[in-house]
Amino acid sequence: MIRIEDLTGAALGAALDSLADLRITVFRDFPYLYDGSGAAGRAYEQDYLTAYAQSPGALIVGAFADDGGGERLIGAATAAPMADHAPEFAAPFRAQGIAIAQVYYFGESVLLPRWRGHGVGHAFFDRREAKARAEGFTIAAFCAVIRPPDHPARPTDYSPLDPFWRKRGFAPVEGLIAHYDWKDVGEAANSAHPMQFWLKHLD
């Protein structure tokens, strides 16, 4: 059985280490290919997740289940006001004349593979959209890494999440692209990755 819980304040802060572990595990796979191993990876996670700990409007939606050793965090989704997030993410919005103050940014949605297919993804979006509306935001946004279709690490059975996102009412906005640095699996150093933003106007 999977339990879903909104985490804010102290509960949010307490979940950050477990969230870092999930990010390192899940994002190692295609399309992110994120190498978060070692001390450098942990330092990167601590720096990245600090934005959520310091944002009064931040939310982590946690998914908890008994994974064989007692209940633990098996998935999570993050969100925070765009104004509280990385400036490199806000820059393309300003360039297109989109008011940052109206944008609630959905960060990662990470879920261990064995727990997928049980509706957790929809719960992650439902709760973050509810939080955005409750806080008075008019736009929800997230971004996804752009990888070429012929990328050598792309699994033959890989299925993009685009249909799921469109079903949720999101659409990619042409030219609304940021770049974010991380180290790919098998690479020696960080490199910049293009990130396509998807937007949804909230009723």
Side-chain angles (χ1 to χ4, degrees):
M1 180 178 178
I2 301 173
R3 177 175 64 86
I4 308 294
E5 180 182 349
D6 289 353
L7 306 175
T8 58
L12 183 153
L16 293 182
D17 281 345
S18 295
L19 174 55
D21 291 338
L22 281 173
R23 278 174 43 88
I24 290 169
T25 298
V26 174
F27 283 154
R28 189 174 181 85
D29 294 336
F30 188 86
Y32 285 91
L33 302 175
Y34 166 53
D35 183 357
S37 61
R42 182 58 61 172
Y44 178 97
E45 289 297 314
Q46 184 176 13
D47 181 65
Y48 171 79
L49 294 172
T50 294
Y52 293 102
Q54 294 178 345
S55 172
L59 169 71
I60 292 178
V61 183
F64 298 85
D66 188 338
D67 208 13
E71 188 180 71
R72 70 183 183 104
L73 190 73
I74 51 89
T78 62
M82 178 63 82
D84 294 344
H85 213 72
E88 56 264 49
F89 277 20
F93 284 82
R94 293 194 176 97
Q96 292 208 18
I98 300 173
I100 298 301
Q102 293 301 314
V103 181
Y104 198 63
Y105 174 67
F106 292 5
E108 47 278 297
S109 292
V110 288
L111 184 65
L112 295 176
R114 66 167 292 192
W115 299 100
R116 295 170 189 170
H118 298 281
V120 176
H122 281 294
F124 283 166
F125 273 88
D126 286 343
R127 287 173 177 250
R128 289 182 296 178
E129 289 178 28
K131 175 71 170 179
R133 291 187 176 95
E135 296 288 333
F137 292 92
T138 60
I139 299 172
F142 69 86
C143 60
V145 66
I146 301 171
R147 296 286 192 183
D150 60 349
H151 193 285
R154 180 186 175 108
T156 56
D157 60 350
Y158 175 69
S159 296
L161 290 172
D162 298 30
F164 171 75
W165 295 332
R166 291 183 185 278
K167 185 177 180 180
R168 294 288 322 187
F170 287 82
V173 177
E174 184 176 357
L176 197 60
I177 295 173
H179 290 80
Y180 209 69
D181 293 352
W182 68 80
K183 185 165 78 75
D184 278 1
V185 173
E187 298 296 328
N190 287 0
S191 58
H193 299 79
M195 307 286 288
Q196 171 67 62
F197 277 99
W198 292 60
L199 267 59
K200 176 178 180 177
H201 291 272
L202 303 172
D203 298 329

